[in-house]
Every structure is written in structure tokens, then in C-alpha cells.
Amino acid sequence: MPDVRTHEPDEHDNAYSGLLVNDAHWAFGTDFEDPLAGVDTTVPDGVDPATLATYCLMLGDDALVLSQRLAEWCSNAPDLEEDIALSNIALDLLGQARLLLARAAAADGSQVPALPDGSPVPDEDRLAFFRDGVQFRNVRLAEVPNGDFAQTIARILLFSSWRLALFEELSHSRDAVLAAVAAKGVKELTYHRDFAGRWFLTLARGTDESRRRLLAGLDALWPYWAELFETHEVERATALAGVGVDPAGIAADVDAVVEQVLAVSGVDRPAVPPLAGVQGSKGDKGSTGSKGRDGRHTEAHSRMIAEMQVVARAHPRGQW
Amino acid sequence: MTAALRRGPAFDRGQVLGQDPVLGQDPMFDQEPAPGRDSMLERARQAASAVVDPELPMLTLVDLGVLRDVRIDDDGVVTAAITPTYSGCPAMATMRDDLLRELQAAGFADARVRVVLEPAWTTDWITPAGRAALAAAGISPPGPAPRRSGPVLLQLVPPRRAVRCPQCGSDDVVVGSEFGSTACKALYRCRSCLEPFDHVKEI
């Protein structure tokens, strides 16, 4: 246990009181030194630790990257309520990412970037801030630029519908940590999906301009939609081992939810083909090419990651 | 459980069960003290029970249902267990620090705080005392958490809650946003007294 701050009993009345006492921790982290402190992180029997860790990175990176995108709305949303809502959703996803990256590190420490001795950076932050873009395993839907508010709503609807169904399955994982993270995430994602579904309907049935923007946003995102249901070999292996979920298996349920929103909104499915992966590259899976789960991303991903990481990478020992 | 532990109504599980069956699932504080250690355990629980939530300081961590357990581990060390309200709850570090400070002040220099993730926190764990404290502070307490069997259903209309304005008591209220000043609150507005207020949303 680190040194403990010794505040006065009225510390919560003073915004500055906690800043001056024994606060020597890494400048960019969230301060709780281990989000899984005391949690049993034993890898279940018959599960390859490296595969489990990579799977946790996939689900963690989905949340981390979309959280970073949604955080870009902070102070920029159309009104205060939506600003706060988007930031709250970003915070939920960041929390899920933190637990999942910490679980990845606990399963297989060899995937955590090495830093100089004495570095105060905790494992999950090393994974978030010190991996290169090609080491991120997120689906590309999470990384594309926000577009306008309507496109952001469309993305949250698609992403949360998919992730909610996935987490409902994952809450039965043989890995107790994944099961617990998923069960908690279901409650949060339920609010995210309802929020996006209501706004989708509002924008679709609103003005000509709101509808035009929504349809354009949905068209822009649709090429990334099919990728969410393609089974990566890591997902297949973890599903077979009873710790992960094969995304192909939830496609019908997710489709039914999205169809429900589209139907009530009077919106047709976009006639836009899926975006192909990168052909002929390392890790090529054949005709569809390498995609987000393989670490192959869009150009926007690298710029977003660079902005997210640049300060932390410049000060790997930064303390305050 | 002894009378000395009852810092507030939160500890009287019999009373809680009698009042509202929804609140009867609390696994908290179930360790029976070993002979000779009961006063030590009591002292630790009293100390931990004094800690308040950093964002809702009118509630103790017990009132909020976040403090899940205080026990003496096999190695003789006092260990408190807390669970996050939401995955991204930024108050976890402060809760841990506050718990350690109180436990150390009570003489448990090597006390530990661990995280429990399962079962996930639910607003049903907010005690009757906690609900009363929320209402007294102008925050509308949560109704029963949703129960489901089977897939989570999509809700395209805002939930109809039996919410009353904590300022004037009117039930003529309208939800402004399902996401409020913290992750756990929705933002409402009263159409009678025109005041905005927070509602702790059910999870």
C-alpha cells in the first residue's frame, strides 16, 4: 500500500486540500493503483493466458477508443444536457476499458509495454498510452471521426447495441473477471443504447435538416458495421474455451434491435457496402483483408492515438 | 452483528428486511468474529462505517451500498471491500484513501482495501437511511432497480418513474436528461416550482 493522505475531516469542503499531501503518483492516471486490487485474476483452466489477454485488449480497446472520441465532444455538444450525457457515456466506457486492460495485463504481463525502472505508470495505463496504433485491437467503427451530433448518435446506437448483446453473453464467461465486468457493463450500456435510440428517433422524425444529417451519418458509418460480426481467430478460440463470445453468434439479435429503431424512425438500411480490410498485409485473413481486430486501422486512428498519448509519452515518469 | 455497530439504521438488517424486501440482499458484514477478536472487528467496522461518499457526502459508504465488507483476514489484517457504482467511477481512489485513513486512525496501521466487482452494484443497496439523506439534500432517491429475465429490452420512450420534486413534493416533473451531474444521476425539472433536481437513476 502506498502512503496514505492525511486530510482533515472537512477535506471535501475544500477543493485544494487533497492536492498538496503525499500526492506523488503518475500524473496521467486515475490514482487507484490497481482497479482489480484483491480480485482473483487466475486464468481459468484450459485457457491460453496470451489469447485471453489479447481478447481483453480487443474489448478494452473498443471502449477506450470510442471513449476518447466521445470525450472530444466535451464542451462542444449542441447543449449542456447532451454534453454531459456524452461525457458520461465516455466515462462509462473508459471505466470498462480500464478494467479490461488491467485484466489483460494480469493474464499476460508480456503484452504490457516495458518502461524504465521506477516508472510509476500502472499496467493498464502502459497499455493505453504506450502501445503503438498497430497494437490496438479495436473495431474500426470506434475510431472514425465523430462527424456531427447526428453521426455521433448513430455510432453510439450501433456500437452500444452490439456491445450490449455481446456483454449479455459475456456475463456468463468462465473467466470470473470478464463475467463481472460484462455484467456491470450491461447496466451502463442499456442507458447508452436507450439514449442513442431516442435521439435517433428524434432526429429522424425531426426537421428535414436533422433527418438529412442522420441519414448521412448512418451512411458514413455503415461500411464499418459488418466488421463487428466477423469472427477473429482470437474471438473464436476464447469462445471455444468458454471465456469469450463469438460475435457472429449475436448478429441476429443485434440486427433485430437496430431494425426496430430503423423501422420506427422510418429509415431504410443504407445501401453501402462494407469497407474491405488491408489486402496482402501481415495477418491477412484472405479475401476480407486485415481489419481493426488485426491492428489495421484507418488513418484517423493514428492521429487520434497520437493526440491521446503525446503528453504521457513525453513524460513517462511524470508525477504530481 | 451487535448493537454497538449500529452507527445508523443502515446496520439493522432486520429492520431493512422488514421495511422493503427489495433491500434485503445485502451480503455485507457477514463475518462472525473469532473468539477474542470481536471487539477488534467491531472497532474496524465502526471506523470504516464513518467514511462518507466523496460526491454525496450526506451518505456514508454503507448508506450507498458501496462498502461491501469489513473483515479480519486469516493473516490478522483488517480488509475492507468496496465496489464501484459505475465502471468509470472516479471516486474509488478517494474512497480507498478515506477508508485507509479512518482504519489507520482506529489503530489498524496495515489495513487493506480491496475491490469486489461481483455482484455488480445496484441502487437497491442504498439503505433507507441513505434514501432519506438523499431526499433531505434535494436529490430524488431511486426507485426499484429494473429486473429482467432474458435480453435487455430497448426503451425508446423515457422511463416513467414515480418521481417527486424533492423541493416542493410535486409529481409534475419532467426528465431533462438521463445523464446528470454524475454518472449515477438523471436530471429532472419540476414544472410546479420550476426547480431542477437530480434523480439517482435505477441500475
Side-chain angles (χ1 to χ4, degrees):
Chain A
M1 279 289 161
D3 288 341
V4 177
R5 302 191 294 202
T6 50
H7 300 163
E8 295 302 315
D10 65 343
E11 65 189 78
H12 299 307
D13 297 333
N14 181 345
Y16 302 102
S17 65
L19 299 178
L20 302 175
V21 191
N22 287 350
D23 249 345
H25 46 75
W26 190 48
F28 311 106
T30 40
D31 195 7
F32 200 98
E33 81 275 21
D34 179 4
L36 298 177
V39 174
D40 183 1
T41 53
T42 309
V43 174
D45 287 344
V47 178
D48 174 43
T51 306
L52 175 62
T54 304
Y55 183 65
C56 292
L57 288 180
M58 291 175 169
L59 300 183
D61 288 344
D62 291 340
L64 174 63
V65 167
L66 184 55
S67 174
Q68 178 74 11
R69 279 293 183 217
L70 290 177
E72 293 172 8
W73 275 108
C74 190
S75 79
N76 293 310
D79 60 40
L80 186 58
E81 284 78 7
E82 270 35 77
D83 204 294
I84 291 170
L86 292 171
S87 295
N88 267 303
I89 293 171
L91 180 62
D92 286 344
L93 292 174
L94 189 65
Q96 294 174 14
R98 185 162 190 230
L99 292 165
L100 287 162
L101 296 188
R103 206 285 165 266
D108 179 15
S110 71
Q111 299 193 33
V112 179
L115 290 177
D117 284 348
S119 166
V121 186
D123 283 346
E124 71 273 17
D125 286 342
R126 293 182 185 216
L127 287 165
F129 291 112
F130 294 89
R131 277 181 302 157
D132 293 332
V134 293
Q135 295 174 294
F136 278 72
R137 299 292 198 133
N138 61 282
V139 292
R140 293 176 297 178
L141 178 72
E143 76 199 33
V144 293
N146 281 324
D148 59 15
F149 180 71
Q151 184 171 331
T152 297
I153 290 298
R155 168 154 60 182
I156 298 173
L157 175 70
L158 295 176
F159 183 85
S160 61
S161 297
W162 168 72
R163 191 170 174 91
L164 176 54
L166 200 153
F167 270 29
E168 287 185 86
E169 293 287 318
L170 192 63
S171 65
H172 306 297
S173 171
R174 283 177 59 225
D175 182 62
V177 182
L178 271 181
V181 170
K184 191 161 196 59
V186 163
K187 298 180 177 212
E188 296 158 359
L189 291 159
T190 299
Y191 276 101
H192 304 176
R193 190 182 67 176
D194 287 347
F195 165 82
R198 287 169 204 159
W199 261 116
F200 194 98
L201 177 59
T202 299
L203 295 170
R205 299 285 192 192
T207 64
D208 290 346
E209 178 67 0
S210 71
R211 184 176 177 84
R212 181 189 69 75
R213 284 174 177 265
L214 182 70
L215 297 180
L218 190 62
D219 274 359
L221 296 171
W222 205 255
Y224 305 98
W225 182 231
E227 179 184 338
L228 272 58
F229 305 97
E230 294 173 5
T231 310
H232 188 276
E233 60 192 270
V234 166
E235 291 165 319
R236 192 186 321 277
T238 50
L240 279 173
V243 294
V245 175
D246 181 346
I250 60 167
D253 288 345
V254 177
D255 190 70
V257 170
V258 171
E259 181 56 39
Q260 189 185 344
V261 179
L262 293 179
V264 75
S265 303
V267 171
D268 292 330
R269 242 158 234 273
V272 184
L275 184 70
V278 178
Q279 300 285 344
S281 59
K282 187 183 173 194
D284 192 350
K285 300 296 175 299
S287 59
T288 62
S290 298
K291 298 177 181 171
R293 289 282 188 249
D294 306 299
R296 296 287 160 183
H297 297 286
T298 61
E299 185 183 348
H301 183 266
S302 60
R303 288 197 297 272
M304 193 208 81
I305 294 293
E307 182 180 319
M308 182 176 84
Q309 295 181 336
V310 61
V311 178
R313 286 199 172 204
H315 305 282
R317 299 185 196 204
Q319 297 196 344
W320 65 283
Chain B
M1 181 122 347
T2 66
L5 261 181
R6 289 179 198 152
R7 200 182 150 273
F11 286 93
D12 197 333
R13 275 208 275 178
Q15 181 196 2
V16 170
L17 279 166
Q19 278 188 347
D20 185 348
V22 171
L23 302 173
Q25 314 169 331
D26 200 333
M28 200 162 45
F29 295 4
D30 57 353
Q31 184 185 39
E32 291 297 327
R37 279 196 171 162
D38 50 343
S39 66
M40 182 178 162
L41 187 58
E42 241 175 63
R43 209 153 36 84
R45 285 175 176 172
Q46 269 185 313
S49 302
V51 176
V52 298
D53 179 81
E55 288 176 350
L56 298 167
M58 72 297 284
L59 265 65
T60 66
L61 298 186
V62 174
D63 289 334
L64 192 57
V66 156
L67 183 65
R68 304 311 301 154
D69 193 21
V70 178
R71 62 175 55 235
I72 300 171
D73 279 345
D74 293 342
D75 57 4
V77 174
V78 169
T79 302
I82 55 176
T83 193
T85 53
Y86 283 70
S87 300
C89 174
M92 288 290 279
T94 307
M95 292 178 185
R96 178 215 43 197
D97 288 354
D98 291 353
L99 278 168
L100 288 179
R101 189 194 60 226
E102 289 293 332
L103 288 168
Q104 287 168 349
F108 304 103
D110 51 359
R112 291 186 288 243
V113 175
R114 68 184 177 89
V115 176
V116 286
L117 296 177
E118 199 278 322
W121 183 79
T122 163
T123 40
D124 287 349
W125 290 348
I126 300 178
T127 63
R131 285 157 201 268
L134 283 171
I139 300 171
S140 161
R147 325 233 140 210
R148 62 180 179 85
S149 53
V152 181
L153 296 177
L154 180 69
Q155 299 269 357
L156 286 177
V157 290
R160 294 193 181 280
R161 302 182 174 104
V163 169
R164 285 186 173 276
C165 171
Q167 304 292 343
C168 73
S170 167
D171 62 359
D172 187 14
V173 299
V174 59
V175 64
S177 172
E178 284 292 293
F179 296 89
S181 56
T182 63
C184 57
K185 296 195 220 98
L187 183 64
Y188 271 74
R189 184 166 52 83
C190 176
R191 283 197 282 224
S192 293
C193 71
L194 304 180
E195 288 291 323
F197 64 91
D198 279 335
H199 171 77
V200 177
K201 61 194 184 193
E202 300 75 15
I203 69 165

